[in-house]
Amino acid sequence: MPATPATAQDFVPYATAAIDFHRALNIPIGPLVASRAELDSLHEHLVSLHGLLDAHTQRTSPLLRGEGDHLKAARTRLWQAADHLHAAYHASPRPGSGEVPGAEACRDRRPEGAPELTICRRHQQTARLVRRRATPADLHSPFTGLVRH
């Protein structure tokens, strides 16, 4: 019997299982500061999820406004989470020196040089998409918008 071809929905559960497996293996019980590498990886994951939800939102919203509203709200929340992870990355100590860079360093686009600059580049690229898809009020409101039923 031939194997059933993989669909797009087949991969998301594997990604979720991988995250759960990573947490179980690599995050010990007890106090531990998240490393910059971990925060960078989590940021990359959230930005990828944001892209996936953006694609679903763009396709769904014209057809089903109620579902589209929920997807837009989820997309906005993911961006807010990614924004906080980006800030946490810059608030965490640098490896080696333990120095914590100031917030203005990222805005100057030269926070620490390569390879650490990759999180800022990814964040800025996604921010351009976010600014096209959402208003400042959407991004800063505790309520992410009208949800139709």
Side-chain angles (χ1 to χ4, degrees):
M1 178 164 68
T4 307
T7 65
Q9 292 81 5
D10 291 338
F11 298 108
V12 175
Y14 290 117
T16 302
I19 292 287
D20 290 341
F21 190 64
H22 169 77
R23 181 188 45 79
L25 288 179
N26 296 314
I27 309 297
I29 295 174
L32 178 70
V33 174
S35 71
R36 289 181 137 213
E38 180 80 3
L39 293 172
D40 184 25
S41 293
L42 288 170
H43 182 268
E44 185 174 18
H45 187 72
L46 283 185
V47 166
S48 294
L49 282 173
H50 181 272
L52 177 62
L53 271 176
D54 182 61
H56 283 303
T57 301
Q58 292 302 104
R59 291 177 52 154
T60 304
S61 291
L63 303 172
L64 297 169
R65 291 175 50 175
E67 182 181 349
D69 288 343
H70 286 290
L71 291 173
K72 286 178 189 176
R75 179 184 64 191
T76 299
R77 293 287 191 222
L78 272 176
W79 170 250
Q80 290 168 335
D83 197 36
H84 283 290
L85 274 174
H86 181 247
Y89 176 91
H90 287 298
S92 66
R94 291 180 181 172
S97 72
E99 178 188 357
V100 177
E104 67 282 346
C106 185
R107 283 183 288 243
D108 294 339
R109 294 182 167 240
R110 297 274 178 214
E112 302 161 52
E116 288 82 5
L117 186 59
T118 56
I119 189 170
C120 294
R121 187 173 298 124
R122 178 185 330 113
H123 197 72
Q124 294 299 326
Q125 287 171 341
T126 307
R128 283 192 289 275
L129 173 68
V130 168
R131 284 191 295 273
R132 284 194 303 260
R133 304 268 201 253
T135 67
D138 292 336
L139 299 175
H140 298 292
S141 171
F143 179 67
T144 58
L146 172 68
V147 178
R148 296 171 187 87
H149 293 283

